[in-house]
Amino acid sequence: MKNQFETLNNNLSNINHHLAPIAEAAQLLIESGALEKLADQLPEIITFLRKHFPIEEPRLFMPDVLDYLGIHKRTYYRKVADGKLIPRKWEGPDFFYRSDLEEERKESKRRGRI
């Protein structure tokens, strides 16, 4: 039994040892006000992360986008030129993720296209 208490005490000591730097960093963030600034910027950070590091979604290429939004090819090109649709460029043809098209999908629903 004594051996188990010593092991438990050592484990708790190790935990405290590893948590101390984290607690110091948290205290510094709180005192400097950086944590509040970070919290204020959180929506923009989330948007940036979702745009540049999306969850594994299937890629939608132009024919898929035309069908998904209920638009013609000419409308697609016009929306790209106007900056309303911003395709992702990688090796091969341009593509989108569904999350990239949320606003235009809402607009298509509003206009009765889909």
Side-chain angles (χ1 to χ4, degrees):
M1 188 71 149
K2 182 180 177 186
N3 203 14
Q4 289 177 336
F5 284 124
E6 288 176 3
T7 303
L8 181 61
N9 192 26
N10 285 340
N11 288 343
L12 290 174
S13 175
N14 284 337
I15 290 172
N16 283 335
H17 175 73
H18 290 293
L19 288 179
I22 295 171
E24 289 175 25
Q27 189 65 34
L28 180 66
L29 287 172
I30 291 169
E31 290 173 357
S32 68
L35 193 60
E36 289 178 16
K37 291 178 185 175
L38 183 62
D40 291 341
Q41 297 298 318
L42 202 53
E44 290 84 9
I45 293 170
I46 290 170
T47 301
F48 176 83
L49 290 175
R50 284 185 179 157
K51 183 171 184 171
H52 295 287
F53 303 100
I55 300 170
E56 285 300 317
E57 294 182 72
R59 293 179 177 182
L60 298 176
F61 297 98
M62 186 176 61
D64 306 318
V65 172
L66 297 178
D67 186 51
Y68 185 66
L69 297 178
I71 59 175
H72 289 278
K73 190 184 278 190
R74 182 68 196 119
T75 305
Y76 169 85
Y77 287 121
R78 187 173 53 249
K79 287 181 178 287
V80 169
D82 292 343
K84 292 181 179 177
L85 292 177
I86 302 171
R88 293 176 183 260
K89 299 180 186 292
W90 200 253
E91 296 175 0
D94 297 345
F95 65 93
F96 296 86
Y97 292 114
R98 286 189 194 270
S99 58
D100 297 336
L101 303 171
E102 288 176 14
E103 290 302 316
E104 287 302 316
R105 175 99 172 152
K106 288 177 188 174
E107 179 64 15
S108 288
K109 282 184 178 181
R110 187 185 74 75
R111 289 183 176 233
R113 293 184 190 130
I114 51 175

